[in-house]
Amino acid sequence: MTASSVVSRMSTILALETSCDETAVAVLRGQELLASEVASQTAAHEPYGGVVPEVASRNHLLHLPRLLDRAVASAGVSLHDVDAFAATSGPGLATSLMIGTSAAKGLALGAGKPYLAINHLEGHLLSPFFGTEVQPNIALVVSGGHTLLVEVKEAGAYTLLGRTVDDAAGEAFDKVAKLLGLGYPGGPEIERRAAAGDPMRFALPRTMLDSRDHNFSFSGLKTAVRYLIAKLPPDTMRSDETRNDLCASFQATVLEVLVRKTLKAAKSCNAKVVTLSGGVSCNKALRREMQRACERAGLGFLAAAPAMTTDNAAMIAFAASLRFSSGYSSPVTEEIDPNLALVR
Ligand code: KG4
Ligand code: ZN
């Protein structure tokens, strides 16, 4: 990032998000979200049971021009009104990141306006504060690619407390859904079935629940579900009751680990507020359990708005607006980084 003069908080930011399989464009003026367009590629990836990078980048190319036109029209702005163009520059799929960043750089160069490269994880992390002031907090970011516990002192000042050592929480939902023959992405369908199931029926491992660090591990849980399925008679596995009970038991296990470890991190940092963001945070049971645990511990709790949990460009525009208002922009020569860390 290069410093420039401090700019007005009423700036208009146009942001693009193409880090994985959602193509998204948003326009933010000051704190007001003027447009937020998301084109999901779920149907294109579902036959493969996961995201295929080649298919994702082709779809970004296909959707982006139409989404851009729609976002600008519904925001009621012209490209000349935009003060800065932003895009997710990592982490994510290289060929997907390249589409959004190239488009944002082209727009910025064409309009003679600054470009901002934004970290996808910072987008999620700050999303609970969308349109408000960022307060110090302990943030749990749970998505398909990441599970992070972060101490946020202020926007831009982060300490990584813990992360998953193997699968991300959302990845565990997706893999278990696949084992159960449910669709992709797995989270929403597991949540739906869990609501009708018995969370006590199957005992599953709460790996690293009591570890001394703030890390997570979910791959053993997925393997335990695989062994359990192999042991159950096939006709039992075909019953909705058993599959619902498995979903409920799996979800309760993941939630207990996420909630207990977040509260432990908050306590060890003497935090006052806990935040929750990322695709898995649209899970209503997780939001409810985290809220209850925070209330019991006397902590404030803030979750990203449901529409801002899965990948979107509004959160990227918000992160960009905070950086832009403190006088930063990025050189257009800045490269994408598929492994970009939140804290370097
Ligand atoms: O943030 P996101 O859209 O993409 C990444 O940055 O990874 O998160 C997608 C993840 C998927 O793994 C999906 O299964 C999970 O979020 N997810 C859920 C729910 N909705 C989406 N997990 C649990 N419960 C849900 N309701
Ligand atoms: Zn994400």
Side-chain angles (χ1 to χ4, degrees):
M1 286 190 303
T2 55
S4 67
S5 61
V6 173
V7 241
S8 147
R9 284 202 144 228
M10 275 309 287
S11 303
T12 301
I13 309 278
L14 188 150
L16 309 181
E17 155 62 41
T18 63
S19 65
C20 190
D21 63 337
E22 251 97 34
T23 317
V25 182
V27 182
L28 181 71
R29 178 179 292 148
Q31 314 267 36
E32 191 189 353
L33 186 59
L34 300 182
S36 180
E37 300 284 339
V38 183
S40 167
Q41 301 180 10
T42 303
H45 299 282
E46 186 161 21
Y48 307 98
V51 177
V52 182
E54 168 77 17
V55 174
S57 53
R58 279 190 207 200
N59 275 282
H60 288 312
L61 264 181
L62 205 68
H63 293 309
L64 198 52
R66 180 177 53 88
L67 282 195
L68 250 174
D69 286 347
R70 233 171 46 202
V72 169
S74 72
V77 297
S78 93
L79 288 178
H80 298 290
D81 302 325
V82 175
D83 296 302
F85 295 87
T88 303
S89 66
L93 300 170
T95 48
S96 288
L97 292 166
M98 274 164 61
I99 310 286
T101 52
S102 303
K105 288 174 182 181
L107 288 165
L109 284 171
K113 299 287 174 59
Y115 163 69
L116 288 105
I118 300 298
N119 186 313
H120 182 79
L121 297 172
E122 186 174 41
H124 278 305
L125 181 85
L126 298 177
S127 60
F129 295 101
F130 187 89
T132 63
E133 290 292 316
V134 177
Q135 306 163 38
N137 69 92
I138 294 299
L140 175 68
V141 183
V142 265
S143 71
H146 303 274
T147 301
L148 303 177
L149 264 174
V150 181
E151 183 180 17
V152 177
K153 296 192 185 75
E154 59 180 335
Y158 312 123
T159 305
L160 183 64
L161 301 173
R163 62 191 317 159
T164 179
V165 296
D166 41 53
D167 292 351
E171 193 179 351
F173 271 90
D174 295 336
K175 288 180 173 171
V176 165
K178 203 168 177 177
L179 290 172
L180 290 170
L182 309 176
Y184 172 84
E189 181 62 5
I190 289 191
E191 174 172 21
R192 197 182 68 73
R193 285 178 172 270
D198 174 6
M200 308 294 277
R201 175 157 167 205
F202 300 107
L204 292 165
R206 276 125 170 99
T207 316
M208 294 183 82
L209 180 61
D210 297 311
S211 68
R212 294 165 73 91
D213 55 26
H214 298 297
N215 290 332
F216 301 91
S217 166
F218 293 110
S219 86
L221 172 58
K222 166 204 66 195
T223 308
V225 172
R226 174 181 292 138
Y227 287 147
L228 187 59
I229 291 172
K231 270 203 309 204
L232 288 168
D235 55 327
T236 312
M237 266 320 295
R238 275 192 289 275
S239 90
D240 266 336
E241 190 186 350
T242 302
R243 296 205 291 174
N244 292 352
D245 291 349
L246 250 166
C247 287
S249 303
F250 163 78
Q251 181 175 283
T253 305
V254 176
L255 267 47
E256 184 182 342
V257 175
L258 292 176
V259 171
R260 289 247 315 252
K261 298 210 77 157
T262 304
L263 270 283
K264 188 177 137 199
K267 194 171 171 200
S268 76
C269 294
N270 211 7
K272 305 270 179 291
V273 175
V274 163
T275 65
L276 182 59
S277 61
V280 180
S281 77
C282 75
N283 185 293
K284 292 188 203 71
L286 172 58
R287 297 166 84 90
R288 199 173 51 234
E289 294 298 316
M290 192 69 88
Q291 167 123 39
R292 277 192 196 142
C294 287
E295 276 169 13
R296 277 197 299 270
L299 294 166
F301 173 65
L302 226 72
M308 226 171 274
T309 53
T310 49
D311 289 348
N312 65 88
M315 67 182 191
I316 302 301
F318 180 57
S321 75
L322 295 179
R323 291 200 165 247
F324 191 57
S325 65
S326 39
Y328 289 96
S329 62
S330 316
V332 284
T333 49
E334 184 158 327
E335 307 257 9
I336 57 152
D337 182 351
N339 300 311
L340 188 62
L342 179 67
V343 183
R344 288 187 229 204

